[in-house]
Amino acid sequence: MSLDADAGLLSPVSAAPSVAALTGDRAVLAAILDVEAGWAAVLEEAGLAPAGSSAVVAAAAEPGRYDVADIAVRAQGGANPVIPLLADLRRQVTALDTHGVGAAAAVHASLTSQDVLDTALMLVARNAVGAVLADLGRATAALADLSAAHSTTLCVGRSLTQHSLPYTFGLRAAQWFHGLAAAGRQLAGLGFPVQFGGAAGTLAAGSALTANSAATPFNLADSLAAHLGLAPAAAPWPTNRLPVTSLGNALAAVLDAAGKTAADVLFLSRPEVAEVAEPRAAGRGVSSAMPQKQNPVLSVLVRSAALQAPQPAAQLHLAAANFNDERPDGAWHAEWPALRQLLALALGAVGQLQELTGGLQVFPAAMRRNLDLAGPLLLAEGVAAAVAPLLADRDGLGGKQQLQAVVDRTLQVPAADQAAAYRRYLRETVPEDVLPDSRLAELLDPAGYLGESAGIAHRILAAYPDFAGTDRPHPDAIGAPRG
């Protein structure tokens, strides 16, 4: 790597060799060469290129033969990297064609630069998305395990930053799982279509090439898709960019869901909350100034990626809306870095996420401590629902209003005294003959006011078995829903 190469110094979430291998310049170069070699093979199979030519082109399409930095600079002459690379590829093919089979005739015949680059970027995206889905599957399987293990672990639910109702950590993990699995299913359902339209999207050159053959341009395009492992396209899509914007949407959705999970972990791992902690690793989470710190850097990096994702996703839509004429000007060019950034962010973030979820430390005692901070006031909604119908109207106030007055009085006393005050005011308002002590104890037990938490978690995991993994108990074994 040259001294001035971009190694990702300011993009730590995606600064990994595995990310560079799938989305870097050399990955794009290799994909372009794969398209050209694949096309030569398709032409030879159809009898439209000399016998033996595809082997020569394949040998010449070895990425190590090419100077990526030099091609990048020369790409300014034609506004895309395919043009200078083709000149180099043709030289390599000519040099390697020692038996004079005429292999150069198979290079790029009837194609245009957009055919090759769009198809190459679909190859890059397919490979990157495969890696994203693999890591995402590991992350969601870990969350499914956490949900099962903590189906009855009490914690506090929070609404608008405040304690709201009793909750379970199992449901929280299931909701993290839900967002990631739903986004992952959207990503997994994408197609990566081949592009084949020629200079103006009419297949004129392809028609001329196949004029005296049994093949058609459509046959050739389908054969290229099969050769590369891409989806066939019903028609050329040089200005219809749904394949690109759909990919951007799905990647952004994955990053949204990952960011939500990371944001929750960041809050829950604060020392004053301390309900979870990231997995430890040597050298991770260190501070340059404070030796005692253990920063939750996995979540920090995941969240950083989520916060960056909306801009490149929007850029893809902005470009798509400005694809003018039958082949566009700068709008097409504006897609490339945005798409690659999204792929790199997703790869980096989900790689960090699968490590985070796989080793997340959970502290039920701290969860119960935080749940108890609100005391019985946390059950005020459930108390009102059960007790209000039992209260006779008094001073023009219905039962619900009387119980709200109990809460209002309780909130006037210091926080440390509110638990005792609530019980006292409640008993003053609701005598024991109306609400026996045993029933009051039930109503003030947070484990008794979880609604359908177990059922919700069950339904979430059951809806996405492909993301839940198999090495864990079935939800029926850990608390099935009622009814």
Side-chain angles (χ1 to χ4, degrees):
M1 180 179 292
S2 64
L3 292 178
D4 58 351
D6 183 4
L9 191 64
L10 297 182
S11 303
V13 68
S14 55
S18 59
V19 175
L22 288 167
T23 64
D25 283 346
R26 190 155 292 280
V28 175
L29 173 75
I32 294 172
L33 291 168
D34 283 346
V35 174
E36 293 289 356
W39 184 241
V42 166
L43 293 182
E44 184 176 338
E45 289 167 5
L48 298 172
S53 59
S54 63
V56 178
V57 176
E62 167 56 45
R65 295 177 177 273
Y66 301 89
D67 184 338
V68 179
D70 177 63
I71 291 169
V73 172
R74 289 159 54 210
Q76 295 181 30
N80 77 70
V82 176
I83 295 171
L85 178 57
L86 273 175
D88 295 351
L89 176 61
R90 288 189 172 107
R91 280 193 292 271
Q92 292 285 343
V93 168
T94 300
L96 292 174
D97 192 4
T98 55
H99 297 291
V101 301
V107 176
H108 203 68
S110 81
L111 297 180
T112 194
S113 297
Q114 188 172 354
D115 293 334
V116 175
L117 190 53
D118 275 353
T119 302
L121 289 175
M122 288 294 106
L123 272 179
V124 169
R126 182 203 64 192
N127 295 339
V129 165
V132 169
L133 287 171
D135 276 347
L136 187 63
R138 285 185 277 271
T140 53
L143 289 173
D145 288 341
L146 282 172
S147 181
H150 292 281
S151 62
T152 59
T153 299
L154 290 174
C155 63
V156 66
R158 297 175 177 89
S159 172
L160 302 179
T161 77
Q162 304 299 298
H163 289 191
S164 57
L165 292 175
Y167 208 73
T168 67
F169 187 71
L171 179 55
R172 181 166 290 145
Q175 289 290 13
W176 293 340
F177 169 95
H178 193 187
L180 291 164
R185 185 171 287 176
Q186 180 181 347
L187 187 63
L190 293 176
F192 301 92
V194 71
Q195 175 71 283
F196 181 56
T202 64
L203 296 174
S207 295
L209 179 69
T210 59
N212 299 312
S213 134
T216 70
F218 302 107
N219 298 150
L220 297 179
D222 290 348
S223 295
L224 179 61
H227 186 91
L228 296 174
L230 295 176
W237 46 279
T239 56
N240 299 311
R241 308 309 288 177
L242 190 61
V244 177
T245 54
S246 296
L247 174 57
N249 292 343
L251 291 167
V254 168
L255 287 163
D256 290 345
K260 159 60 178 169
T261 303
D264 280 352
V265 171
L266 286 167
F267 171 77
L268 296 173
S269 62
R270 288 173 179 264
E272 59 270 28
V273 181
E275 295 183 8
V276 302
E278 289 194 350
R280 297 288 183 90
R284 179 189 292 154
V286 297
S287 165
S288 65
M290 293 166 281
Q292 84 282 2
K293 288 193 75 181
Q294 286 291 317
N295 296 319
V297 294
L298 294 175
S299 299
V300 167
L301 291 176
V302 172
R303 188 162 186 256
S304 77
L307 293 174
Q308 293 176 71
Q311 285 73 34
Q315 178 62 59
L316 295 179
H317 285 281
L318 180 63
N322 284 280
F323 262 54
N324 57 335
D325 301 325
E326 280 58 59
R327 282 188 55 207
D329 45 30
W332 179 50
H333 305 72
E335 270 185 355
W336 313 336
L339 178 60
R340 185 158 68 165
Q341 184 184 3
L342 273 174
L343 289 168
L345 288 171
L347 280 164
V350 177
Q352 305 283 347
L353 184 70
Q354 62 90 19
E355 186 174 357
L356 168 65
T357 55
L360 188 69
Q361 301 175 70
V362 179
F363 305 120
M367 293 179 182
R368 184 60 196 238
R369 179 200 68 211
N370 292 333
L371 173 66
D372 289 342
L373 287 176
L377 274 177
L378 199 66
L379 284 304
E381 179 188 76
V383 169
V387 177
L390 306 177
L391 293 178
D393 188 66
R394 187 178 68 187
D395 300 328
L397 295 177
K400 188 172 183 180
Q401 288 79 3
Q402 293 178 54
L403 293 169
Q404 180 63 52
V406 169
V407 172
D408 293 342
R409 289 179 65 194
T410 302
L411 292 173
Q412 301 305 310
V413 306
D417 300 325
Q418 285 179 358
Y422 180 69
R423 291 175 184 273
R424 185 171 68 254
Y425 298 152
L426 187 60
R427 181 49 79 207
E428 291 174 0
T429 302
V430 188
E432 189 174 356
D433 61 336
V434 175
L435 183 68
D437 285 343
S438 59
R439 178 56 177 152
L440 177 60
E442 290 176 0
L443 292 173
L444 297 182
D445 179 2
Y449 198 66
L450 293 171
E452 299 294 336
S453 294
I456 294 168
H458 175 96
R459 290 172 67 88
I460 289 171
L461 299 184
Y464 299 93
D466 44 335
F467 284 90
T470 56
D471 298 328
R472 62 178 196 84
H474 188 274
D476 284 336
I478 53 101
R482 289 187 298 134

